[in-house]
Amino acid sequence: MSEWLVLTLAMAAVCAVVVLVTTLRHRRVGDDDDPTETPDVIEYMTMMIGVVYAIVLGLAIAGVWEARNAAEDHVRAEAQALHEITERVRVYPADVRDRVRADVDAYVGHVTTTEWKTMADHGELTGKGTKLLDRVRHAVTDYEPADEFEAQAYQPLLDQVMAADQARGARADSTEATMPAVVWFGLITGGLVTLGMIFALQIRRTAREMILAGLFSALIAFLLFLIWDFDAPYSRGVATSAELFLELFPHLAR
């Protein structure tokens, strides 16, 4: 089932629950009930709860968005370092150059297919990807420069291999969820409390108030879904894709 379909169903369900509870509550109150007699302290508490929860939601969204951007930066850094290796190795003899480039292509091809699916499904990298990157490292480090010109290119190549390895490690760390379980507990509990304050204000069953209550509940459901979706940078709807690799290695996209 599509994640956006799940979001639509969740928003509709929340709206339906709010409308249903409001309707049932309205039927149970007596004729002498006056909604205009809501104590001022309840209105003040409702306002403060809404403000505090809005701040918490904003911080949570900013946190997961920053984590998603960081995950994208890690992928871009890894792809760029590998691309630099294939370009800088051109000063080496043809057999060494072709072997290094073939090893890089094998690694990138594995990452963009098998490893990316493993990250999305299981939140971890593959052992084969590690071995393929080691082959790239060994292909670079095992060659002894034959002259001064090749020697000058040797250290920059090692630096790019190290940069790719560090970016791969950072990508592995980014596969984990950003939001701890205790934060999710606070977000969901806060949302329920915020929606519950609607009934503390003795909302009436007018069309205007029912629509506003439904839209407010749908907005909270949407924001929580947004946080959940961004919390997995490589696997959910708005995810970082392997296109960053394929932009620098277009021949592997065919």
Side-chain angles (χ1 to χ4, degrees), residues 19 22-23 203-215:
V19 172
T22 303
T23 302
I203 184 173
R204 289 170 293 180
R205 201 173 55 177
T206 64
R208 179 179 61 183
E209 293 183 353
M210 296 291 276
I211 290 175
L212 288 176
L215 291 176

Side-chain angles (χ1 to χ4, degrees), residues 11-180:
M11 293 172 64
V14 172
C15 292
V17 169
V18 171
V19 172
L20 178 62
V21 172
T22 303
T23 302
L24 294 176
R25 181 179 177 279
H26 182 78
R27 290 179 178 178
R28 296 182 60 182
V29 298
D31 296 335
D32 57 344
D33 180 71
D34 186 3
T36 62
E37 293 182 356
T38 301
D40 293 339
V41 66
I42 293 183
E43 295 182 0
Y44 176 77
M45 290 173 58
T46 301
M47 179 186 67
M48 292 305 299
I49 289 174
V51 170
V52 171
Y53 189 63
I55 293 174
V56 173
L57 278 178
L59 291 175
I61 292 174
V64 294
W65 179 257
E66 182 179 356
R68 180 186 178 278
N69 286 341
E72 187 172 316
D73 291 340
H74 299 327
V75 175
R76 182 178 291 106
E78 184 180 359
Q80 186 62 48
L82 293 168
H83 179 68
E84 285 295 318
I85 293 173
T86 61
E87 292 298 321
R88 291 175 183 268
V89 80
R90 65 186 178 86
V91 302
Y92 282 9
D95 58 332
V96 178
R97 179 179 64 241
D98 293 343
R99 183 171 71 251
V100 172
R101 288 178 174 175
D103 290 340
V104 171
D105 286 350
Y107 173 74
V108 174
H110 176 75
V111 168
T112 55
T113 54
T114 305
E115 187 165 82
W116 211 267
K117 188 175 186 304
T118 301
M119 285 197 310
D121 295 341
H122 306 290
E124 60 184 17
L125 304 186
T126 62
K128 183 177 180 180
T130 303
K131 293 179 180 178
L132 289 174
L133 185 58
D134 287 340
R135 282 176 53 184
V136 175
R137 179 185 291 106
H138 296 158
V140 172
T141 58
D142 290 350
Y143 176 72
E144 183 177 353
D147 53 36
E148 183 64 24
F149 184 56
E150 292 182 1
Q152 291 177 356
Y154 183 73
Q155 187 58 47
L157 275 170
L158 292 182
D159 293 340
Q160 293 302 321
V161 172
M162 182 176 65
D165 188 46
Q166 290 176 341
R168 175 180 170 81
R171 176 161 60 87
D173 294 337
S174 299
T175 58
E176 300 178 357
T178 305
M179 307 295 292

